[in-house]
């Protein structure tokens, strides 16, 4: 209900997504080409790496803990969640959001 902001920090090769309003959450997205760590400590926001595909920012996240909520309504997810998000700015006032939810602990297919 509150929206979010992208903060690009090129010198760190990171983007931060900040939830504004109520929850005051943030998550770093690594843009330096690193892979996910082999041994991830599960966290609420998981571990995010990303790259650009044309005009789209493609974010790959895994390593969520059981407390993460995909939506405000709390649809099911488990620590097996692998989330792929695609953000595309189609014009000045529009940000297109596409997500692929792959969680074999909660769903039968992505």
């Amino acid at each position: 209900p509150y929206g979010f902001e992208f903060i690009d920090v090129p010198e760190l090769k990171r983007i931060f997504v900040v939830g504004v309003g109520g929850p005051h959450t943030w998550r770093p997205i690594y843009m330096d080409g690193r892979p996910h760590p082999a041994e991830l400590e599960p966290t609420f926001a998981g571990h995010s790496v990303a790259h650009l595909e044309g005009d789209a920012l493609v974010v790959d996240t895994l390593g969520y803990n059981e407390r993460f909520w995909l939506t405000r309504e709390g649809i099911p997810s488990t620590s097996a969640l692998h989330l792929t998000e695609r953000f595309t700015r189609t014009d000045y006032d529009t940000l297109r959001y596409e997500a692929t939810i792959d969680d074999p602990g909660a769903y039968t297919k992505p």
Side-chain angles (χ1 to χ4, degrees), residues 10 13 19 22 32 34 44 63 73-74 83 87 105 108:
K13 295 186 179 176
D32 57 5
R34 73 178 68 191
F44 180 80
E73 292 78 20
L83 181 63
F87 298 90
T108 58

Side-chain angles (χ1 to χ4, degrees), residues 101-104 106-110:
I101 300 165
D102 187 2
D103 187 344
Y107 303 100
T108 58
K109 61 182 179 178

Side-chain angles (χ1 to χ4, degrees), residues 1-108:
Y2 304 109
F4 59 91
E5 294 180 33
F6 287 94
I7 301 171
D8 184 15
V9 186
E11 60 273 14
L12 294 178
K13 295 186 179 176
R14 288 185 196 145
I15 294 173
F16 294 91
V17 178
V18 179
V20 297
H24 302 292
T25 59
W26 72 91
R27 69 174 167 141
I29 300 173
Y30 298 96
M31 297 288 296
D32 57 5
R34 73 178 68 191
H36 293 294
E39 299 292 325
L40 273 176
E41 179 78 28
T43 64
F44 180 80
H47 184 270
S48 299
V49 295
H51 64 277
L52 293 170
E53 287 182 9
D55 291 338
L57 175 67
V58 180
V59 182
D60 182 83
T61 308
L62 47 85
Y64 291 101
N65 64 26
E66 298 284 332
R67 293 180 171 190
F68 175 69
W69 282 26
L70 281 165
T71 65
R72 191 173 60 161
E73 292 78 20
I75 64 172
S77 67
T78 70
S79 60
L81 174 62
H82 182 184
L83 181 63
T84 305
E85 300 167 287
R86 186 177 189 89
F87 298 90
T88 309
R89 189 172 181 184
T90 58
D91 60 45
Y92 184 79
D93 293 324
T94 307
L95 183 66
R96 181 184 170 121
Y97 178 72
E98 301 168 274
T100 301
I101 300 165
D102 187 2
D103 187 344
Y107 303 100
T108 58

